[in-house]
Amino acid sequence: MKILANLIRSGMIIENDGRQWAVLKTQIIKPGKGGAFNQIEMRDLKAGTKTNIRLRTQETVKKLQTTEKEFQFLFSDEDSYTFMDPNNFEQIVLENDIIGEDKIYLKDGIMVKVNYIDNSPISISLPSALVFEVVEAEPVVKGQTAASSSKPAILENGLRIMVPPFVEKGTFVQINTTDGSYIKRAE
C-alpha cells in the first residue's frame, strides 16, 4: 500500500530502495524557502543498520502490511528477551536487534505487541505510556518558580528525564515511551 511521506509515523514498516525499514523517528520540516519534507530515521530490518532520509511530503513510499500479536514480557538475559502469549502460554525469544532502543522500557509483566512480516518477528510496539518509580531526584531549590522550572530525575530503569519540582524520590511517574518525556504523576 502506497502512502504519502507526510503520513509516515514511528513504528511503521516501509520499503525503500528494495529494503524493509522500521521507522524510528519522523519530523516534518517546513523550511522558509522551498517545500516541506519529512526527516525520517529508520533501521534496516535485516542488517540492523540505521539511516536518515529526507522525503518531500508529496512523495510516496510502500507501507508494508504487518500482523500484530500481543505478548507479555517475562525476562531478559544478555542479548535476548523472552515473551509469553497470554492466551496459550507459548513463549518466544527475541534477539536484541529486534528490541532495539525500546529495551530500556521493558519491565516484568508489561504487555507489548510483536509485529510480524511473513510469520517472522521484526519489531515490538510498546504501550504509549508506562509508569516508573523515581529513584533519584534533586531537591527543590527555594524561590524557583513552579511555572517554568524542571529538574533532572533518574527512574528505576536508569532513564534520566526532566520532571517538575514537586516530584521526589519514591514518586511514581508516567512517561511517554516514544520520546522518554514526563507526562504526569501516577496515581
Side-chain angles (χ1 to χ4, degrees), residues 147-161:
S148 65
S149 63
S150 58
K151 62 182 184 178
I154 299 174
L155 304 178
E156 63 184 283
N157 61 352
L159 188 65
R160 186 178 189 86
I161 64 168

Side-chain angles (χ1 to χ4, degrees), residues 79-130:
D79 57 351
S80 64
Y81 298 82
T82 303
F83 297 85
M84 178 185 68
D85 184 333
N87 299 320
N88 61 12
F89 306 109
E90 188 176 304
Q91 293 184 6
I92 63 167
V93 177
L94 300 178
E95 300 302 316
N96 194 28
D97 59 336
I98 292 174
I99 305 299
E101 296 173 5
D102 289 339
K103 64 184 172 192
I104 196 158
Y105 299 111
L106 292 177
K107 58 192 254 188
D108 293 346
I110 72 161
M111 300 302 285
V112 300
K113 289 187 171 86
V114 178
N115 302 309
Y116 289 89
I117 290 181
D118 299 329
N119 290 329
S120 70
I122 51 154
S123 66
I124 65 167
S125 299
L126 295 167
S128 60
L130 288 171

Side-chain angles (χ1 to χ4, degrees), residues 70-84:
E70 196 165 51
F71 284 88
Q72 181 179 18
F73 175 66
L74 295 178
F75 62 89
S76 67
D77 52 23
E78 286 184 29
D79 57 351
S80 64
Y81 298 82
T82 303
F83 297 85
M84 178 185 68

